[in-house]
């Protein structure tokens, strides 16, 4: 893997969206896990991994609409086909790169990974104009679809 993740406590490191895409292109066994909510997937869009012959795994880190942690997160992660200790890179993505940190830490603690967090996520933080979308997966021009 040519990507050099930025060190982070409790998981393999942080990568930009473009670096995450590079991991997915270089490693046939790499998995992208979108940990946003069902509402975000439906109304904002999801990464389109068809160009690399895969689909993003959709596993909520927090549940919609309650905002409570998903108590079945690790069980649902396992259902995507990722196995603890298998050494497959697992790249976690959320809206702005915050929730995905917790997901990467939990996955690492459970033996998954190496686990990475996508800095700035799918849409990035709110910009000076009060809107998201200036940075992140979509702003980098990476493939995505609106279901």
């Amino acid at each position: 893997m040519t990507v050099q993740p930025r060190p982070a406590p409790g998981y393999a490191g942080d990568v930009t969206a473009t670096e995450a895409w590079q991991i997915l292109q270089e490693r046939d066994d790499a998995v992208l896990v979108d940990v946003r909510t069902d509402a975000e997937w439906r109304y904002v869009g999801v990464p389109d991994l068809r160009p690399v012959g895969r689909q993003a795994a959709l596993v909520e880190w927090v549940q919609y609409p309650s905002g409570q942690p998903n108590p079945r997160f690790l069980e649902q992660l396992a259902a995507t086909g990722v196995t603890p200790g298998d050494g497959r890179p697992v790249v976690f993505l959320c809206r702005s790169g915050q929730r995905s940190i917790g997901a990467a830490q939990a996955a690492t603690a459970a033996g998954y990974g190496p686990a990475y967090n996508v800095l700035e996520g799918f849409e990035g933080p709110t910009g000076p104009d009060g809107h998201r979308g200036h940075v992140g997966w979509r702003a980098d021009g990476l493939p995505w679809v609106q279901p």
Side-chain angles (χ1 to χ4, degrees), residues 10 73-75 77-78 82-86 103-113 115:
F73 176 76
L74 291 173
E75 174 187 333
L77 179 60
V82 182
T83 305
D86 68 6
Q105 290 171 331
T108 298
Y112 292 92

Side-chain angles (χ1 to χ4, degrees), residues 27-31 54 80-83 85-90 112-115:
R27 295 282 306 260
D28 291 341
D29 60 341
V31 178
R54 280 168 267 161
T80 70
V82 182
T83 305
D86 68 6
R88 294 171 68 181
V90 184
Y112 292 92

Side-chain angles (χ1 to χ4, degrees), residues 3 16 22 34-35 37 44 50 53-54 66 71 75-76 79 81 87-88 98-99 102 104 112 124 126 140:
V3 172
T16 66
Q22 186 177 347
D34 187 331
V35 300
T37 65
V44 179
R50 287 179 294 185
R54 280 168 267 161
S66 70
E75 174 187 333
Q76 291 170 352
R88 294 171 68 181
Q98 297 304 304
R99 285 174 284 175
Y112 292 92
T126 304
D140 284 0

